[in-house]
Structure formats: structure tokens, C-alpha cells
Amino acid sequence: MVTVVRILARRIVLLVPLMLGIVLFVFVVMRFSDVDPASAFFQGANPIPQQLHDFRERNGLLDPLPLRYVHFVGALLHGDLGTSALTRAPVVQQVSTALPLTLQLTFLGLAIAVVLSLLGGVTAAIYRDRLPDQIIRVVSLTGVAAPPFWLALLMIQYLAVDRGWFPTGGYINPADSLTGWLKTMALPALALSLPVAAQLTRIVRTSVVEELDKDYVRTAIGSGLPLRVVVGRNVLRNALMNPLTVLGLRVGYLLGGAVVIETIFSLPGMGKLMIDAVQNGDPAVVQGVVLTTATGFVVVNLVIDILYLLVNPRLREAS
């Protein structure tokens, strides 16, 4: 237990320079934007040059870039992501409203991807080079090649418009109706998760096949243990290390894919918030969404590292 705590403390310390680097990157990229924060703030008001100058001076936009970066980091440490140029509302308020939906979509998609990949990968490994394996291989290759937005459009057409099984868009809060929430989130989560599930299925299959070929598996089966018991108790745990590593990277894919999926299904999440901010020229909101998403990606990968430690005792001993 002490070893695990020490490893986690080391990983958390390493996150500090990583987050500072992310903040610096976002800050520099946003400075190259063609959108002027002062002009965006007075959008449609026809301000005089003196008003623009006063706004820039009041908000530190005339300060040298290093000083602006220091002020920017200081504001972030106090939970201040800036103010929306259009709504005049704090960006934190808008992000806190949109973030729960994006998290729901991402983790629902992640859960679907994990379940499908485990079922498909383990089944393909057990029936390797036989009909179930061939079918799963073709399906997974098709899933890898299918972009989420294309799957989303197909699902809307055939499952929502033609058959009416699901709504074409919109969102229902789970506190109001759990059934309604599941209906509104089912198609977006499926469209988002199927390519990830297809990729993970191939990785799970390869890992499980490698484990099944090891001596301890043959010994356990030879001693009379059923294959399902050996797979459930030993093989699956040892085979999960590679899929867990890839899973951390795929979470970033899910967060990024949510931008397109939320727009297609008219879900008021982080993706739609950022698209609207880009279209309306609201740099503070774009900056806030990108930083929040990047932070979520880092935190999720830290959780994946913890899971990796739990399933890999040799890594704990080596550390």
C-alpha cells in the first residue's frame, strides 16, 4: 500500500509541469487567434477606439505576453476562466452547465466500448481462427473504419427517423426521466463508442490469445479447471494491461469526438458550447472549454495509471 501511495504521489507531482505546459500551449495558440477580445466584447455596439483601448487596458491586454501569462495562470488557480464576450457571464458558469452532459456521454460511451470489447475480444480469442473469430474480426475492422459522425447520421436515419425508436436529438435530464435520458443518450453514446470498441476488441483478442498460449493456462486446464474459470480468474486480469494503456488514450478520442456528436444530436454539452463559441467569436469560452477538456484527459489518464497499478503487481515491485 505504501508503494502504491508513493507511486501515485510521484505521478501527481509530474502532473504539475504537464498542466503548466498545457496552459502555456493554449495561451500561446489563443494569442494567434484573429478574434480580438475587445471587439468581441463590444460586438454589435460600434465602440469608439477609446472604448476599445480602455477595455484592453482594464483587462491587461496591453501588458507584455509574459506578464499576461502570469496573470492568466493566477486567475486559473482561483478558478477564473474569464468572462464570455457575448453573454457577459463567467466562463466557469457556462462550462459547469455543459460539462455534466459531456461527462455523461463520454463515460456512457466508454462503458459501452469496454463491455463490447471484452465480450468480443475474449470470444474471438477463445474461438480463434474459427467462425466466431472471423465474424468478430470483420465487424471490428468495419467499426475501426467507420467515423463516428457517419455512424451517427445512419443511426438517426434508420433508428430514429424511419422506425421512431429513439429521438433524433435533444436532451432529457436523468433527474426528470431516467428512461427519457437513456433514449436521448443511447444513439450518441453508441455512435461515439463503436469505433473505440472495435479498436479495443482487436487489442483484447491479441492479449488474451497471448495469455492462453502460456504454460500456466495449459497446466490449469490440464488439472481439470474449466476454461471459463481460468479465463475469468487469471487470463483476463493478466491480459488487461495492454488494453488499459490504450483505453487511457481512447478517452481523449471520446472527449474530442463528443464535439461532433453533440452538435449532430443537439446536445447542450461542451462540444456544442465550443462550436457555438467559435462561430460567434467568443475566445474566452473556447479557451475555457479546451483547458477543461485537456484537464479531464489528464485526470482520466491518472485514473488509468491507478488501475494499471492494481492489475500489474510487477509494476509496483519494480517501482
Side-chain angles (χ1 to χ4, degrees):
M1 184 63 182
V2 176
T3 304
V4 174
V5 172
R6 186 169 64 250
I7 296 173
L8 291 180
R10 190 187 311 159
R11 300 284 173 88
I12 293 173
V13 169
L14 291 175
L15 289 182
V16 176
L18 175 61
M19 289 304 305
L20 288 176
I22 292 173
V23 171
L24 177 61
F25 176 78
V26 173
F27 176 82
V28 172
V29 169
M30 292 303 298
R31 300 292 80 78
F32 287 101
S33 172
D34 293 333
V35 179
D36 179 20
S39 301
F41 184 83
F42 290 104
Q43 189 173 16
N46 296 321
I48 62 175
Q50 184 61 40
Q51 287 178 301
L52 295 174
H53 182 274
D54 291 343
F55 177 86
R56 296 188 182 104
E57 186 175 27
R58 186 168 59 253
N59 290 275
L61 298 178
L62 301 179
D63 295 336
L65 275 180
L67 182 59
R68 291 167 61 183
Y69 176 70
V70 171
H71 290 161
F72 180 61
V73 173
L76 290 179
L77 292 176
H78 289 87
D80 183 8
L81 291 174
T83 303
S84 170
L86 297 178
T87 64
R88 308 295 194 267
V91 175
V92 171
Q93 180 179 332
Q94 294 180 267
V95 168
S96 62
T97 301
L99 183 59
L101 189 147
T102 298
L103 292 179
Q104 293 169 26
L105 176 60
T106 299
F107 287 105
L108 183 59
L110 185 64
I112 294 173
V114 169
V115 171
L116 291 179
S117 62
L118 287 177
L119 290 175
V122 173
T123 302
I126 292 175
Y127 294 94
R128 75 175 90 172
D129 299 327
R130 285 181 276 177
L131 183 60
D133 183 25
Q134 299 296 336
I135 294 174
I136 292 173
R137 185 178 302 176
V138 171
V139 173
S140 62
L141 286 173
T142 304
V144 170
F149 72 88
W150 181 74
L151 291 174
L153 294 175
L154 286 181
M155 289 178 182
I156 290 175
Q157 180 62 46
Y158 292 107
L159 299 180
V161 175
D162 291 349
R163 291 168 177 78
W165 293 346
F166 300 94
T168 58
Y171 175 72
I172 297 177
N173 195 299
D176 298 330
S177 172
L178 183 59
T179 303
W181 175 78
L182 286 173
K183 285 185 176 181
T184 56
M185 297 295 287
L187 294 187
L190 277 173
L192 191 61
S193 65
L194 288 181
V196 176
Q199 295 170 358
L200 288 176
T201 296
R202 296 172 59 82
I203 297 170
V204 170
R205 179 197 178 278
T206 301
S207 297
V208 173
V209 166
E210 291 176 356
E211 289 296 318
L212 289 175
D213 289 338
K214 291 184 177 179
D215 292 337
Y216 79 89
V217 175
R218 288 192 288 268
T219 301
I221 295 176
S223 64
L225 286 175
L227 179 60
R228 65 178 183 276
V229 175
V230 177
V231 171
R233 288 182 180 177
N234 303 104
V235 172
L236 196 55
R237 178 172 179 174
N238 294 330
L240 280 180
M241 289 181 285
N242 288 336
L244 273 178
T245 304
V246 177
L247 185 63
L249 301 175
R250 293 297 91 191
V251 171
Y253 170 89
L254 290 171
L255 288 170
V259 174
V260 178
I261 296 300
E262 288 174 1
T263 303
I264 293 175
F265 287 94
S266 300
L267 298 173
M270 296 281 282
K272 191 171 187 304
L273 178 63
M274 186 169 71
I275 293 295
D276 291 343
V278 170
Q279 292 176 341
N280 297 324
D282 200 340
V285 174
V286 175
Q287 188 171 258
V289 171
V290 171
L291 284 174
T292 304
T293 304
T295 303
F297 179 73
V298 170
V299 171
V300 168
N301 275 274
L302 177 62
V303 174
I304 296 296
D305 285 343
I306 296 173
L307 295 176
Y308 200 77
L309 288 172
L310 293 177
V311 300
N312 190 0
R314 289 173 297 181
L315 184 62
R316 297 197 297 269
E317 295 171 1
S319 302

